[in-house]
Amino acid sequence: MTHDTNLCLCGSLLNYAECCELLHAGAVHATSAESLMRSRFTAYAMHNADYLLSSWDTETRPATVDFSNDTGEWTCLEIIATKKGGAKDKKGIVEFKAYFTLDGEQRVMNEISRFVKKQNRWYYLDGKVKSINSTAGAFDQGLNAPCACGSGKKFKRCCGKK
């Protein structure tokens, strides 16, 4: 499968300049929890820590985003389900699958993320990783492994909290 390098990684089928770049540059703000999720996926794939931090709710936002453990290439995003997160809502939930290649193997991370709207702007609150799979099946990332969300925390202290 070939990938048009001008297409936005979020899966909108628009060029990056007409899509997530507008949000990353601050020209527009996400109109829904799903649009914020899409823009954050693209920002994560591009290692855009400034946007990730600015779109993260201050109550759960880490001091920095650590990309040092992100050795794979994020390839596409699939939205599985959304609950609320629209124009009239104050909260929203987005379940997604983020596909990436690591060591030549296609893998997928399934996560449920929560979003809040404050002063008419959507923010990422937190997320829970449901699974990380490869073509060989699920693999255990380990409680002491760095969290896949990029917070810089250990999995058990971040998305792995029960």
Side-chain angles (χ1 to χ4, degrees), residues 10 15 18 53 69 97 99 125 155 159:
C10 80
N15 285 337
E18 301 167 340
L53 291 170
N69 296 311
K97 288 184 178 179
Y99 293 85
L125 184 62
F155 177 72
C159 296

Side-chain angles (χ1 to χ4, degrees), residues 109-125:
M109 178 182 73
N110 185 197
E111 180 176 316
I112 297 176
S113 293
R114 297 188 312 155
F115 297 85
V116 294
K117 188 162 65 171
K118 295 180 177 179
Q119 289 138 16
N120 216 29
R121 282 191 59 189
W122 283 102
Y123 295 93
Y124 170 77
L125 184 62

